Amino acid sequence: CLGTVTVEMEYKKYGFITKIYTINGEPYNPRQYQTTSIAHKVSLGSLGKINKALYKVHEQYPDADYVLPTYRNKEVQYMNGGKIIKETLTVKVYKIK
């Protein structure tokens, strides 16, 4: 086990429209962003928009062989005309010797 990494993103949802505010604590620029996905054999469920925050795992551990999602938290704050959602995902990073 190389370590654990927590990634997060905050966005607002208006029905079918989604506006992303921050990814990993940095303001989101829709014209320039990175995305990473986890390849898995067994269905883990869709990670959805949080894939845009997974680049942090590869930046911290570029020599990792696999990543295991361990904990996912979703905080929802309902507001007039939409809701603000903050998602966090904690993953463990491993390297095969």
Side-chain angles (χ1 to χ4, degrees):
C1 181
L2 296 174
T4 60
V5 179
T6 301
V7 296
E8 60 93 13
M9 78 181 302
E10 186 173 349
Y11 58 95
K12 187 166 187 177
K13 198 164 188 169
Y14 309 91
F16 295 111
I17 300 169
T18 302
K19 178 171 176 33
I20 300 173
Y21 291 127
T22 63
I23 294 180
N24 294 326
E26 300 174 4
Y28 174 70
N29 182 359
R31 296 178 187 190
Q32 182 180 16
Y33 64 89
Q34 300 177 32
T35 184
T36 306
S37 61
I38 298 175
H40 48 83
K41 187 174 183 178
V42 180
S43 176
L44 298 171
S46 175
L47 292 177
K49 294 172 190 49
I50 201 78
N51 280 341
K52 290 186 179 183
L54 286 176
Y55 71 88
K56 181 178 175 183
V57 176
H58 185 66
E59 284 180 354
Q60 287 187 0
Y61 300 103
D63 57 340
D65 290 326
Y66 64 96
V67 175
L68 180 65
T70 56
Y71 182 74
R72 185 174 184 179
N73 188 22
K74 188 174 188 179
E75 298 175 19
V76 181
Q77 179 183 8
Y78 289 95
M79 303 182 73
N80 237 357
K83 54 188 172 182
I84 295 178
I85 302 169
K86 182 177 181 181
E87 286 189 53
T88 57
L89 176 71
T90 304
V91 297
K92 287 194 177 191
V93 183
Y94 294 94
K95 177 160 181 65
I96 299 173
K97 292 184 179 181

Coordinates of all heavy atoms in Angstrom, one line a residue:
C1 N 0.9 -1.2 0.0 CA 0.0 0.0 0.0 C 0.9 1.2 0.0 O 1.7 1.4 0.9 CB -0.9 0.0 1.2 SG -2.0 1.4 1.3
L2 N 0.7 2.1 -1.0 CA 1.5 3.3 -1.1 C 0.9 4.4 -0.2 O 1.6 5.3 0.3 CB 1.6 3.8 -2.5 CG 2.3 2.9 -3.5 CD1 2.2 3.4 -4.9 CD2 3.8 2.7 -3.1
G3 N -0.4 4.4 -0.1 CA -1.1 5.5 0.7 C -2.5 5.6 0.4 O -3.1 4.9 -0.4
T4 N -3.1 6.6 1.0 CA -4.5 6.9 0.7 C -4.6 8.4 0.2 O -3.8 9.2 0.5 CB -5.4 6.8 1.9 OG1 -5.0 7.7 2.9 CG2 -5.4 5.4 2.4
V5 N -5.6 8.6 -0.7 CA -5.8 9.9 -1.3 C -7.3 10.3 -1.2 O -8.1 9.4 -1.5 CB -5.3 10.0 -2.8 CG1 -5.6 11.4 -3.4 CG2 -3.9 9.6 -2.9
T6 N -7.6 11.5 -0.8 CA -9.0 11.9 -0.8 C -9.2 13.0 -1.9 O -8.4 14.0 -1.9 CB -9.4 12.5 0.6 OG1 -9.2 11.5 1.5 CG2 -10.8 12.9 0.6
V7 N -10.1 12.8 -2.8 CA -10.4 13.8 -3.8 C -11.8 14.3 -3.6 O -12.7 13.6 -2.9 CB -10.3 13.1 -5.2 CG1 -8.9 12.7 -5.5 CG2 -11.3 12.0 -5.4
E8 N -12.1 15.5 -4.0 CA -13.4 16.1 -3.7 C -13.8 17.0 -4.9 O -12.9 17.5 -5.6 CB -13.4 16.9 -2.4 CG -12.4 18.0 -2.3 CD -13.0 19.4 -2.7 OE1 -14.2 19.5 -2.8 OE2 -12.2 20.3 -2.9
M9 N -15.1 17.2 -5.0 CA -15.6 18.2 -6.0 C -16.9 18.8 -5.4 O -17.6 18.1 -4.7 CB -15.8 17.6 -7.3 CG -16.9 16.7 -7.6 SD -17.0 16.1 -9.2 CE -17.0 17.5 -10.2
E10 N -17.2 20.0 -5.8 CA -18.4 20.7 -5.4 C -19.1 21.3 -6.6 O -18.4 21.9 -7.5 CB -18.1 21.8 -4.4 CG -19.3 22.5 -3.8 CD -18.9 23.5 -2.8 OE1 -17.7 23.6 -2.3 OE2 -19.8 24.3 -2.4
Y11 N -20.4 21.0 -6.7 CA -21.1 21.4 -7.9 C -22.6 21.7 -7.5 O -23.0 21.3 -6.5 CB -21.0 20.4 -9.0 CG -21.6 19.0 -8.7 CD1 -22.9 18.7 -9.0 CD2 -20.7 18.1 -8.1 CE1 -23.3 17.4 -8.7 CE2 -21.2 16.8 -7.9 CZ -22.5 16.5 -8.1 OH -22.9 15.2 -7.8
K12 N -23.2 22.5 -8.4 CA -24.6 22.8 -8.2 C -25.4 22.2 -9.3 O -25.0 22.2 -10.5 CB -24.8 24.3 -8.2 CG -26.3 24.7 -7.8 CD -26.4 26.2 -7.5 CE -27.7 26.5 -7.0 NZ -27.9 27.9 -6.6
K13 N -26.6 21.7 -9.0 CA -27.4 21.0 -9.9 C -28.8 21.7 -10.0 O -29.5 21.8 -9.0 CB -27.6 19.5 -9.5 CG -28.0 18.6 -10.6 CD -27.8 17.2 -10.2 CE -28.0 16.4 -11.5 NZ -27.6 15.0 -11.3
Y14 N -29.1 22.1 -11.2 CA -30.5 22.7 -11.5 C -31.2 21.7 -12.4 O -31.1 21.8 -13.7 CB -30.3 24.0 -12.3 CG -29.4 25.0 -11.7 CD1 -28.1 25.1 -12.1 CD2 -29.9 25.9 -10.8 CE1 -27.2 26.0 -11.6 CE2 -29.0 26.9 -10.3 CZ -27.7 26.9 -10.7 OH -26.9 27.9 -10.2
G15 N -31.9 20.7 -11.9 CA -32.6 19.8 -12.8 C -31.6 19.0 -13.6 O -30.8 18.2 -13.1
F16 N -31.6 19.2 -14.9 CA -30.7 18.5 -15.8 C -29.3 19.2 -16.0 O -28.4 18.7 -16.6 CB -31.3 18.2 -17.2 CG -32.5 17.3 -17.1 CD1 -33.8 17.8 -17.3 CD2 -32.3 16.0 -16.8 CE1 -34.9 16.9 -17.3 CE2 -33.4 15.1 -16.7 CZ -34.7 15.6 -17.0
I17 N -29.3 20.4 -15.6 CA -28.1 21.3 -15.8 C -27.2 21.2 -14.5 O -27.6 21.3 -13.4 CB -28.5 22.7 -16.0 CG1 -29.3 22.8 -17.3 CG2 -27.2 23.6 -16.2 CD1 -30.0 24.1 -17.5
T18 N -25.9 21.0 -14.8 CA -24.9 20.9 -13.7 C -23.8 21.9 -13.9 O -23.3 22.1 -14.9 CB -24.2 19.5 -13.6 OG1 -25.3 18.5 -13.5 CG2 -23.3 19.4 -12.5
K19 N -23.5 22.7 -12.8 CA -22.4 23.7 -12.8 C -21.4 23.3 -11.8 O -21.7 23.3 -10.6 CB -23.0 25.1 -12.5 CG -21.9 26.1 -12.5 CD -22.4 27.5 -12.5 CE -21.5 28.6 -12.3 NZ -20.2 28.5 -12.9
I20 N -20.2 23.0 -12.2 CA -19.1 22.6 -11.3 C -18.4 23.8 -10.8 O -18.0 24.7 -11.6 CB -18.1 21.6 -12.0 CG1 -18.9 20.4 -12.5 CG2 -17.0 21.2 -11.1 CD1 -18.0 19.4 -13.3
Y21 N -18.3 23.9 -9.4 CA -17.6 25.0 -8.8 C -16.1 24.8 -8.6 O -15.2 25.5 -9.0 CB -18.2 25.4 -7.5 CG -19.6 26.0 -7.7 CD1 -20.7 25.6 -7.0 CD2 -19.8 27.1 -8.5 CE1 -22.0 26.1 -7.1 CE2 -21.1 27.7 -8.7 CZ -22.1 27.2 -8.0 OH -23.4 27.7 -8.1
T22 N -15.8 23.7 -7.8 CA -14.4 23.4 -7.5 C -14.1 21.9 -7.6 O -15.0 21.1 -7.5 CB -14.1 23.8 -6.0 OG1 -14.9 23.0 -5.1 CG2 -14.3 25.2 -5.8
I23 N -12.9 21.6 -8.0 CA -12.4 20.2 -8.0 C -11.1 20.2 -7.2 O -10.2 20.9 -7.5 CB -12.1 19.7 -9.5 CG1 -13.5 19.7 -10.2 CG2 -11.4 18.4 -9.5 CD1 -13.4 19.2 -11.6
N24 N -11.0 19.4 -6.2 CA -9.9 19.3 -5.3 C -9.5 20.6 -4.7 O -8.3 21.0 -4.6 CB -8.7 18.6 -6.0 CG -9.0 17.2 -6.4 OD1 -9.7 16.5 -5.6 ND2 -8.5 16.7 -7.5
G25 N -10.5 21.5 -4.4 CA -10.2 22.7 -3.8 C -9.8 23.9 -4.7 O -9.6 25.0 -4.3
E26 N -9.7 23.6 -6.0 CA -9.3 24.6 -7.0 C -10.5 24.9 -7.9 O -11.4 24.1 -8.2 CB -8.2 24.0 -7.9 CG -7.0 23.7 -7.2 CD -5.9 23.0 -8.1 OE1 -6.2 22.9 -9.3 OE2 -4.9 22.6 -7.5
P27 N -10.6 26.2 -8.3 CA -11.8 26.6 -9.1 C -11.7 25.8 -10.4 O -10.7 25.5 -11.0 CB -11.5 28.1 -9.4 CG -10.6 28.5 -8.3 CD -9.8 27.3 -7.9
Y28 N -12.9 25.4 -10.9 CA -13.0 24.6 -12.1 C -13.1 25.5 -13.3 O -13.9 26.4 -13.4 CB -14.3 23.7 -12.0 CG -14.6 22.9 -13.2 CD1 -13.8 21.9 -13.6 CD2 -15.7 23.2 -14.0 CE1 -14.1 21.1 -14.7 CE2 -16.0 22.5 -15.2 CZ -15.2 21.5 -15.5 OH -15.4 20.7 -16.6
N29 N -12.3 25.2 -14.3 CA -12.3 25.8 -15.6 C -12.8 24.8 -16.7 O -12.1 23.9 -17.0 CB -10.9 26.3 -16.0 CG -10.9 27.1 -17.3 OD1 -11.9 27.3 -18.0 ND2 -9.7 27.6 -17.7
P30 N -14.1 25.0 -17.2 CA -14.6 24.0 -18.1 C -13.9 24.0 -19.5 O -14.0 23.0 -20.2 CB -16.0 24.5 -18.3 CG -16.0 25.9 -18.0 CD -15.0 26.1 -17.0
R31 N -13.0 24.9 -19.7 CA -12.2 24.9 -21.0 C -10.9 24.2 -20.9 O -10.3 23.9 -21.9 CB -12.0 26.3 -21.5 CG -13.3 27.0 -21.8 CD -13.1 28.4 -22.2 NE -14.4 29.0 -22.3 CZ -14.6 30.1 -22.9 NH1 -13.6 30.9 -23.3 NH2 -15.9 30.6 -22.9
Q32 N -10.5 23.9 -19.6 CA -9.2 23.2 -19.4 C -9.3 22.4 -18.2 O -9.3 22.9 -17.1 CB -8.1 24.2 -19.3 CG -6.7 23.6 -19.1 CD -5.7 24.7 -19.0 OE1 -5.9 25.8 -18.7 NE2 -4.4 24.3 -19.1
Y33 N -9.4 21.1 -18.3 CA -9.5 20.2 -17.2 C -8.9 18.8 -17.5 O -8.7 18.5 -18.7 CB -11.0 20.0 -16.7 CG -11.9 19.4 -17.7 CD1 -12.1 18.0 -17.7 CD2 -12.6 20.1 -18.6 CE1 -12.9 17.4 -18.6 CE2 -13.5 19.5 -19.5 CZ -13.6 18.2 -19.5 OH -14.4 17.6 -20.4
Q34 N -8.7 18.0 -16.5 CA -8.2 16.7 -16.7 C -9.2 15.7 -16.2 O -10.0 16.0 -15.3 CB -6.9 16.5 -15.8 CG -5.8 17.4 -16.2 CD -4.6 17.2 -15.2 OE1 -4.4 16.1 -14.8 NE2 -3.9 18.2 -14.9
T35 N -9.2 14.5 -16.7 CA -10.1 13.5 -16.2 C -9.4 12.1 -16.2 O -8.5 11.9 -17.0 CB -11.4 13.4 -17.0 OG1 -12.3 12.4 -16.5 CG2 -11.1 13.0 -18.5
T36 N -9.7 11.3 -15.2 CA -9.1 10.0 -15.0 C -10.2 9.1 -14.6 O -11.1 9.4 -13.9 CB -8.0 10.0 -13.9 OG1 -7.1 11.1 -14.2 CG2 -7.3 8.7 -13.8
S37 N -10.1 7.8 -15.1 CA -11.1 6.9 -14.7 C -10.5 5.6 -14.2 O -9.3 5.4 -14.5 CB -12.1 6.5 -15.9 OG -11.3 6.0 -16.9
I38 N -11.2 4.9 -13.4 CA -10.7 3.6 -12.8 C -11.2 2.5 -13.6 O -12.4 2.3 -13.8 CB -11.1 3.5 -11.3 CG1 -10.5 4.6 -10.5 CG2 -10.7 2.2 -10.8 CD1 -11.0 4.7 -9.1
A39 N -10.3 1.7 -14.2 CA -10.7 0.5 -14.9 C -11.0 -0.6 -13.9 O -10.1 -0.9 -13.0 CB -9.6 0.0 -15.9
H40 N -12.2 -1.3 -13.9 CA -12.5 -2.3 -12.9 C -13.2 -3.4 -13.6 O -14.0 -3.2 -14.5 CB -13.3 -1.7 -11.7 CG -14.4 -0.9 -12.1 ND1 -15.6 -1.4 -12.5 CD2 -14.5 0.5 -12.3 CE1 -16.4 -0.4 -12.8 NE2 -15.8 0.8 -12.7
K41 N -13.0 -4.6 -13.1 CA -13.6 -5.8 -13.6 C -15.0 -6.0 -13.0 O -15.9 -6.4 -13.6 CB -12.7 -7.0 -13.4 CG -13.2 -8.3 -14.1 CD -12.2 -9.4 -13.9 CE -12.6 -10.6 -14.7 NZ -11.7 -11.7 -14.6
V42 N -15.0 -5.8 -11.7 CA -16.3 -6.0 -11.0 C -17.0 -4.7 -10.9 O -16.4 -3.6 -10.7 CB -16.0 -6.5 -9.5 CG1 -17.3 -6.7 -8.7 CG2 -15.2 -7.8 -9.6
S43 N -18.3 -4.7 -11.0 CA -19.1 -3.4 -11.0 C -19.0 -2.8 -9.6 O -19.4 -3.3 -8.6 CB -20.5 -3.7 -11.3 OG -21.3 -2.5 -11.3
L44 N -18.4 -1.6 -9.6 CA -18.3 -0.8 -8.4 C -19.4 0.3 -8.3 O -19.4 1.1 -7.4 CB -16.9 -0.1 -8.3 CG -15.7 -1.0 -8.2 CD1 -14.5 -0.2 -8.3 CD2 -15.7 -1.8 -6.9
G45 N -20.2 0.4 -9.3 CA -21.1 1.5 -9.4 C -20.5 2.6 -10.2 O -19.3 2.7 -10.2
S46 N -21.2 3.5 -10.7 CA -20.7 4.6 -11.5 C -20.1 5.6 -10.6 O -20.7 6.0 -9.6 CB -21.8 5.2 -12.4 OG -21.3 6.3 -13.0
L47 N -18.9 6.1 -10.8 CA -18.3 7.1 -10.0 C -18.8 8.5 -10.5 O -18.6 9.5 -9.8 CB -16.8 7.0 -10.1 CG -16.2 5.8 -9.4 CD1 -14.7 5.8 -9.6 CD2 -16.5 5.8 -7.9
G48 N -19.3 8.6 -11.7 CA -19.9 9.8 -12.2 C -19.0 10.9 -12.4 O -17.9 10.7 -12.9
K49 N -19.3 12.1 -11.9 CA -18.5 13.3 -12.1 C -17.2 13.3 -11.4 O -16.3 14.0 -11.7 CB -19.3 14.5 -11.7 CG -20.5 14.8 -12.6 CD -21.4 15.9 -12.0 CE -22.7 16.0 -12.7 NZ -23.4 14.8 -12.9
I50 N -17.1 12.5 -10.3 CA -15.9 12.5 -9.5 C -14.7 12.0 -10.3 O -13.5 12.2 -9.9 CB -16.1 11.6 -8.2 CG1 -15.1 12.0 -7.1 CG2 -16.1 10.2 -8.5 CD1 -15.5 13.3 -6.4
N51 N -14.9 11.4 -11.5 CA -13.8 11.0 -12.3 C -12.9 12.2 -12.7 O -11.7 12.1 -12.9 CB -14.2 10.4 -13.6 CG -14.6 8.9 -13.4 OD1 -14.2 8.3 -12.5 ND2 -15.4 8.4 -14.3
K52 N -13.5 13.4 -12.7 CA -12.7 14.6 -13.0 C -11.7 15.0 -11.9 O -10.8 15.7 -12.1 CB -13.6 15.8 -13.3 CG -14.4 15.7 -14.6 CD -15.2 16.9 -14.9 CE -15.9 16.7 -16.3 NZ -16.6 17.9 -16.7
A53 N -11.9 14.5 -10.7 CA -11.1 14.8 -9.6 C -10.0 13.7 -9.4 O -9.1 13.9 -8.6 CB -11.9 14.9 -8.3
L54 N -10.1 12.6 -10.1 CA -9.1 11.5 -9.8 C -7.7 11.7 -10.4 O -6.8 10.9 -10.1 CB -9.7 10.2 -10.4 CG -10.8 9.6 -9.6 CD1 -11.4 8.3 -10.4 CD2 -10.4 9.2 -8.3
Y55 N -7.5 12.8 -11.1 CA -6.2 13.1 -11.6 C -5.2 13.3 -10.5 O -4.0 13.1 -10.6 CB -6.2 14.3 -12.5 CG -6.4 15.6 -11.8 CD1 -5.4 16.3 -11.3 CD2 -7.7 16.1 -11.7 CE1 -5.6 17.5 -10.6 CE2 -7.9 17.3 -11.0 CZ -6.9 18.0 -10.5 OH -7.1 19.2 -9.8
K56 N -5.7 13.7 -9.3 CA -4.9 14.0 -8.1 C -4.2 12.7 -7.7 O -3.0 12.7 -7.2 CB -5.7 14.5 -7.0 CG -5.0 14.8 -5.7 CD -5.9 15.5 -4.7 CE -5.3 15.7 -3.4 NZ -6.3 16.2 -2.4
V57 N -4.8 11.5 -7.8 CA -4.3 10.3 -7.4 C -3.1 9.9 -8.3 O -2.0 9.5 -7.8 CB -5.3 9.1 -7.6 CG1 -4.7 7.8 -7.3 CG2 -6.5 9.4 -6.6
H58 N -3.2 10.2 -9.6 CA -2.1 9.9 -10.5 C -0.9 10.9 -10.3 O 0.2 10.5 -10.5 CB -2.6 9.9 -12.0 CG -1.5 9.5 -13.0 ND1 -1.0 8.3 -13.0 CD2 -0.9 10.3 -13.9 CE1 -0.1 8.2 -14.0 NE2 0.0 9.4 -14.5
E59 N -1.2 12.1 -10.0 CA -0.2 13.1 -9.7 C 0.6 12.7 -8.5 O 1.8 12.9 -8.5 CB -0.8 14.5 -9.5 CG -1.2 15.1 -10.8 CD -1.8 16.5 -10.6 OE1 -2.0 16.9 -9.4 OE2 -2.1 17.2 -11.6
Q60 N 0.0 12.2 -7.4 CA 0.7 11.9 -6.2 C 1.4 10.6 -6.3 O 2.5 10.4 -5.7 CB -0.3 11.9 -5.0 CG -0.8 13.3 -4.6 CD -1.6 13.2 -3.3 OE1 -1.8 12.2 -2.7 NE2 -2.0 14.4 -2.9
Y61 N 0.8 9.6 -7.0 CA 1.4 8.3 -7.1 C 1.4 7.8 -8.5 O 0.6 7.0 -8.9 CB 0.6 7.3 -6.2 CG 0.5 7.6 -4.8 CD1 -0.6 8.2 -4.2 CD2 1.6 7.4 -3.9 CE1 -0.6 8.5 -2.9 CE2 1.6 7.7 -2.6 CZ 0.5 8.2 -2.1 OH 0.4 8.5 -0.7
P62 N 2.4 8.4 -9.3 CA 2.4 8.0 -10.7 C 2.8 6.6 -11.0 O 2.5 6.0 -12.1 CB 3.4 9.0 -11.3 CG 4.3 9.4 -10.2 CD 3.4 9.3 -9.0
D63 N 3.5 5.9 -10.1 CA 3.9 4.5 -10.3 C 3.0 3.5 -9.7 O 3.3 2.3 -9.6 CB 5.3 4.3 -9.7 CG 5.4 4.7 -8.3 OD1 4.6 5.4 -7.8 OD2 6.4 4.2 -7.6
A64 N 1.8 3.9 -9.3 CA 0.8 3.0 -8.7 C 0.3 2.0 -9.8 O 0.1 2.3 -10.9 CB -0.4 3.8 -8.1
D65 N 0.0 0.8 -9.3 CA -0.5 -0.3 -10.2 C -2.1 -0.3 -10.1 O -2.7 -0.6 -11.2 CB 0.0 -1.6 -9.8 CG 1.5 -1.7 -10.2 OD1 1.9 -1.1 -11.2 OD2 2.3 -2.4 -9.4
Y66 N -2.6 -0.2 -9.0 CA -4.1 -0.1 -8.9 C -4.6 0.7 -7.8 O -3.9 1.0 -6.8 CB -4.7 -1.5 -8.9 CG -4.4 -2.4 -7.7 CD1 -5.3 -2.4 -6.7 CD2 -3.2 -3.2 -7.7 CE1 -5.0 -3.2 -5.6 CE2 -3.0 -4.0 -6.6 CZ -3.9 -4.0 -5.5 OH -3.6 -4.8 -4.5
V67 N -5.8 1.1 -7.9 CA -6.5 2.1 -7.0 C -7.8 1.4 -6.5 O -8.5 0.9 -7.3 CB -6.8 3.4 -7.7 CG1 -7.5 4.3 -6.7 CG2 -5.5 4.1 -8.1
L68 N -8.0 1.4 -5.2 CA -9.2 0.8 -4.7 C -10.1 1.9 -4.0 O -9.6 2.4 -3.0 CB -8.8 -0.3 -3.7 CG -10.0 -1.0 -3.0 CD1 -10.8 -1.8 -4.1 CD2 -9.4 -2.0 -2.0
P69 N -11.2 2.2 -4.5 CA -12.1 3.1 -3.8 C -12.6 2.5 -2.5 O -13.0 1.4 -2.4 CB -13.3 3.3 -4.7 CG -12.9 2.8 -6.0 CD -11.8 1.8 -5.8
T70 N -12.4 3.3 -1.4 CA -12.8 2.7 -0.1 C -13.9 3.4 0.6 O -14.7 2.8 1.3 CB -11.6 2.8 0.9 OG1 -11.1 4.1 1.0 CG2 -10.5 1.9 0.4
Y71 N -14.1 4.7 0.4 CA -15.1 5.5 1.1 C -15.6 6.6 0.2 O -14.8 7.3 -0.5 CB -14.6 6.1 2.4 CG -15.6 6.8 3.2 CD1 -16.6 6.2 3.9 CD2 -15.5 8.2 3.2 CE1 -17.5 6.9 4.6 CE2 -16.5 8.9 4.0 CZ -17.4 8.2 4.7 OH -18.3 8.9 5.4
R72 N -16.9 6.8 0.1 CA -17.5 7.8 -0.7 C -18.6 8.6 0.1 O -19.4 7.9 0.7 CB -18.2 7.3 -2.0 CG -18.7 8.3 -2.9 CD -19.2 7.7 -4.2 NE -19.6 8.7 -5.1 CZ -20.1 8.4 -6.3 NH1 -20.1 7.2 -6.7 NH2 -20.4 9.4 -7.1
N73 N -18.5 9.9 0.1 CA -19.4 10.7 0.9 C -20.0 11.8 0.0 O -19.4 12.3 -0.9 CB -18.7 11.4 2.0 CG -19.6 12.1 3.0 OD1 -20.8 11.8 3.0 ND2 -19.1 13.1 3.7
K74 N -21.3 12.0 0.1 CA -22.0 13.0 -0.7 C -22.9 13.8 0.2 O -23.8 13.3 0.9 CB -22.9 12.2 -1.7 CG -23.5 13.1 -2.8 CD -24.2 12.2 -3.8 CE -24.7 13.0 -4.9 NZ -25.4 12.1 -5.9
E75 N -22.6 15.1 0.3 CA -23.4 16.0 1.1 C -24.2 16.9 0.2 O -23.7 17.5 -0.8 CB -22.4 17.0 1.9 CG -21.5 16.3 2.9 CD -20.6 17.2 3.5 OE1 -20.8 18.5 3.5 OE2 -19.5 16.8 4.0
V76 N -25.5 16.9 0.4 CA -26.4 17.7 -0.4 C -27.1 18.7 0.4 O -27.6 18.5 1.5 CB -27.5 16.7 -1.0 CG1 -28.5 17.5 -1.9 CG2 -26.9 15.6 -1.8
Q77 N -27.1 20.0 -0.2 CA -27.7 21.1 0.5 C -28.8 21.6 -0.5 O -28.5 22.2 -1.6 CB -26.7 22.2 0.8 CG -27.3 23.4 1.4 CD -26.3 24.5 1.6 OE1 -25.1 24.4 1.2 NE2 -26.7 25.6 2.3
Y78 N -30.0 21.4 -0.2 CA -31.1 21.8 -1.0 C -31.4 23.3 -0.9 O -31.3 23.9 0.2 CB -32.4 21.1 -0.7 CG -32.3 19.6 -1.0 CD1 -32.0 18.7 -0.1 CD2 -32.6 19.2 -2.3 CE1 -31.9 17.3 -0.4 CE2 -32.5 17.9 -2.7 CZ -32.2 16.9 -1.7 OH -32.1 15.6 -2.1
M79 N -31.6 24.0 -2.1 CA -31.8 25.4 -2.1 C -32.9 25.7 -3.1 O -33.4 24.8 -3.8 CB -30.5 26.1 -2.6 CG -29.3 25.8 -1.8 SD -27.9 26.7 -2.3 CE -28.3 28.3 -1.8
N80 N -33.4 26.9 -3.1 CA -34.4 27.3 -4.1 C -33.9 27.2 -5.5 O -32.9 27.8 -5.9 CB -34.8 28.8 -3.8 CG -36.3 28.9 -3.5 OD1 -37.0 27.9 -3.6 ND2 -36.7 30.1 -3.2
G81 N -34.5 26.4 -6.3 CA -34.1 26.2 -7.7 C -32.9 25.3 -8.0 O -32.4 25.3 -9.0
G82 N -32.6 24.5 -7.0 CA -31.5 23.6 -7.2 C -30.9 23.0 -5.9 O -31.5 23.2 -4.9
K83 N -29.7 22.4 -6.0 CA -29.1 21.9 -4.8 C -27.6 22.0 -5.0 O -27.1 21.8 -6.1 CB -29.5 20.5 -4.5 CG -29.4 19.5 -5.7 CD -30.0 18.2 -5.3 CE -30.0 17.3 -6.5 NZ -30.7 16.0 -6.3
I84 N -26.8 22.2 -3.9 CA -25.4 22.2 -4.0 C -24.9 20.9 -3.4 O -25.3 20.5 -2.3 CB -24.8 23.4 -3.2 CG1 -25.2 24.7 -3.8 CG2 -23.3 23.3 -3.0 CD1 -24.7 25.9 -3.1
I85 N -24.0 20.2 -4.2 CA -23.6 18.9 -3.8 C -22.1 18.9 -3.6 O -21.3 19.5 -4.5 CB -24.0 17.9 -4.9 CG1 -25.5 17.9 -5.1 CG2 -23.4 16.5 -4.5 CD1 -25.9 17.1 -6.3
K86 N -21.6 18.3 -2.5 CA -20.1 18.2 -2.3 C -19.9 16.7 -2.2 O -20.4 16.1 -1.2 CB -19.7 18.9 -1.1 CG -18.2 18.8 -0.8 CD -17.7 19.6 0.3 CE -16.2 19.5 0.5 NZ -15.7 20.2 1.6
E87 N -19.1 16.2 -3.1 CA -18.7 14.7 -3.1 C -17.2 14.6 -2.7 O -16.4 15.3 -3.2 CB -18.9 14.1 -4.4 CG -20.4 13.9 -4.8 CD -20.5 13.1 -6.1 OE1 -19.9 12.0 -6.1 OE2 -21.2 13.6 -7.0
T88 N -17.0 13.6 -1.8 CA -15.6 13.2 -1.5 C -15.4 11.7 -1.7 O -16.4 11.0 -1.5 CB -15.2 13.6 -0.1 OG1 -16.1 12.9 0.8 CG2 -15.2 15.1 0.1
L89 N -14.3 11.3 -2.2 CA -14.0 9.9 -2.5 C -12.6 9.6 -1.9 O -11.6 10.4 -2.3 CB -14.0 9.6 -4.0 CG -13.6 8.2 -4.4 CD1 -14.7 7.2 -4.0 CD2 -13.5 8.1 -5.9
T90 N -12.5 8.7 -1.1 CA -11.2 8.2 -0.5 C -10.8 6.9 -1.2 O -11.6 6.0 -1.2 CB -11.2 8.1 1.0 OG1 -11.7 9.3 1.6 CG2 -9.9 7.7 1.6
V91 N -9.6 6.9 -1.7 CA -9.1 5.7 -2.4 C -7.7 5.3 -1.8 O -7.0 6.1 -1.3 CB -8.9 5.9 -3.9 CG1 -10.2 6.2 -4.6 CG2 -7.9 7.0 -4.2
K92 N -7.5 4.0 -1.8 CA -6.2 3.4 -1.4 C -5.4 3.1 -2.6 O -6.0 2.5 -3.6 CB -6.4 2.2 -0.5 CG -6.8 2.5 0.8 CD -6.7 1.3 1.8 CE -7.1 1.8 3.2 NZ -6.8 0.8 4.2
V93 N -4.1 3.4 -2.6 CA -3.3 3.2 -3.8 C -2.3 2.1 -3.5 O -1.6 2.1 -2.5 CB -2.5 4.6 -4.1 CG1 -1.7 4.4 -5.4 CG2 -3.5 5.7 -4.3
Y94 N -2.2 1.2 -4.4 CA -1.3 0.0 -4.2 C -0.3 -0.1 -5.4 O -0.6 0.3 -6.5 CB -2.1 -1.3 -4.2 CG -3.0 -1.4 -2.9 CD1 -4.3 -1.0 -3.0 CD2 -2.5 -1.9 -1.7 CE1 -5.1 -1.0 -1.9 CE2 -3.3 -1.9 -0.6 CZ -4.6 -1.5 -0.7 OH -5.4 -1.6 0.4
K95 N 0.8 -0.8 -5.1 CA 1.8 -1.1 -6.1 C 2.2 -2.6 -5.9 O 2.4 -3.0 -4.8 CB 3.1 -0.3 -6.0 CG 4.1 -0.7 -7.0 CD 5.1 0.5 -7.2 CE 6.1 0.1 -8.2 NZ 5.6 -0.1 -9.5
I96 N 2.2 -3.3 -7.0 CA 2.6 -4.8 -6.9 C 4.1 -4.9 -7.0 O 4.7 -4.3 -7.9 CB 1.9 -5.5 -8.1 CG1 0.4 -5.5 -7.9 CG2 2.4 -7.0 -8.1 CD1 -0.3 -6.0 -9.1
K97 N 4.7 -5.6 -6.1 CA 6.1 -5.7 -6.1 C 6.6 -6.7 -7.1 O 6.0 -7.6 -7.5 CB 6.6 -6.2 -4.7 CG 6.4 -5.1 -3.7 CD 7.0 -5.5 -2.4 CE 6.9 -4.4 -1.3 NZ 7.4 -4.8 -0.1

